[in-house]
Amino acid sequence: METAGSTPAPIPATTGAPTFERMDANILVPAVAAAVFVIYRQTMTRPTERRGILYVAAALVVSGVAGGGLVDSRHLALSLLLVVAELVSAVVFGVVRALTVRVWRDQAGVAWSRGTAWTLAAWAASFAARVALFAAGRVLGVASMTNSILVFVGVTIAVQALAVAWRGRSLPAPAVRPGDAAAAVAS
């Protein structure tokens, strides 16, 4: 009981796992920054063969998995189902976005790509699906960790990059014009 002039007892500090709010900022900021960077880069004309993006995707997945807490041990089956749904969603949306990217070969035979307005719409749809899965988990009582956002973004970026690169490799070689063949032999 407090008396006039006394100070209340301090509230004990919590130790252990970071709070959900703090973890949200620690995870959301890098995930959103990576996604915005990747989306911005996709609106530019770029070669289809890019290994650097795969390193970014791998770093995001490793960070998400290393952060732990991807499954809720109190609701193991349901939480595993949500993780699988997120992974399937990440793969599907990666493929869908890859199909919306314009891919072509220049005269030198280099494959190029550039995202379209449909690519941006597919990104919005993939984020909406991710938010819906997160909300579904919350409604069902699953303690969703935001680390799964890193895994989702990493997987979906990697799938899209691999699918666009495959589309670029699948394009036919540019036709050689008769004058170009003579110039190639002379050099």
Side-chain angles (χ1 to χ4, degrees):
M1 179 169 165
E2 293 180 35
T3 59
S6 70
T7 58
I11 298 172
T14 58
T15 59
T19 64
F20 180 74
E21 291 80 16
R22 199 170 354 148
M23 191 171 296
D24 273 351
N26 291 338
I27 301 301
L28 286 175
V29 170
V32 169
V36 167
F37 176 74
V38 168
I39 293 167
Y40 167 74
R41 297 289 293 223
Q42 287 179 6
T43 62
M44 300 166 53
T45 300
R46 308 201 12 105
T48 59
E49 295 290 335
R50 296 185 309 270
R51 295 193 194 274
I53 192 66
L54 296 177
Y55 296 128
V56 170
L60 288 169
V61 171
V62 168
S63 295
V65 171
L70 295 177
V71 276
D72 180 359
S73 59
R74 295 174 301 139
H75 306 286
L76 187 60
L78 187 55
S79 109
L80 283 173
L81 180 65
L82 283 171
V83 168
V84 169
E86 286 182 24
L87 291 174
V88 168
S89 173
V91 170
V92 167
F93 278 109
V95 170
V96 166
R97 284 192 319 274
L99 293 173
T100 67
V101 172
R102 183 174 170 250
V103 179
W104 70 95
R105 252 187 222 284
D106 64 12
Q107 288 300 329
V110 177
W112 295 88
S113 66
R114 183 177 185 144
T116 65
W118 288 110
T119 309
L120 297 176
W123 267 110
S126 68
F127 284 128
R130 174 60 184 90
V131 168
L133 286 168
F134 186 79
R138 286 298 180 140
V139 167
L140 295 170
V142 176
S144 300
M145 293 299 287
T146 51
N147 288 342
S148 64
I149 294 170
L150 293 174
V151 175
F152 176 86
V153 172
V155 168
T156 199
I157 287 170
V159 168
Q160 181 181 352
L162 291 169
V164 168
W166 177 81
R167 285 184 59 208
R169 285 190 301 272
S170 299
L171 292 173
V176 178
R177 296 182 309 222
D180 292 341
V185 171
S187 60

